[in-house]
Amino acid sequence: MAPALNSPTHGIEQAPHAEAPACARIAEGYPAALDGHEVADTGTPGVAVWGVKTAVLRCGPEPPARPAWGPG
């Protein structure tokens, strides 16, 4: 079910690995406020929003692919 239009997570998708135990541990340390904006109760694993999308954190995205031209 998609978030309601007035939801702090409307338009923000959960990352592929958002329900990983590491994301749950990280979420425990989210600050209650950032620059005067309170963290919203998103109800979406791996997503934290402060203010009206003033700051958005998504835990659990796919890591970027290594560039073909770099070392490695």
Side-chain angles (χ1 to χ4, degrees):
M1 175 188 255
L5 289 175
N6 63 347
S7 166
T9 57
H10 177 72
I12 302 171
E13 293 185 21
Q14 178 178 326
H17 305 286
E19 296 191 41
C23 285
R25 286 191 302 274
I26 291 168
E28 292 174 8
Y30 291 165
L34 282 176
D35 196 30
H37 300 282
E38 291 188 20
V39 67
D41 179 12
T42 66
T44 304
V47 176
V49 178
W50 291 264
V52 181
K53 297 183 186 170
T54 302
V56 176
L57 183 145
R58 289 177 63 224
C59 183
E62 287 289 335
R66 273 192 345 200
W69 66 89

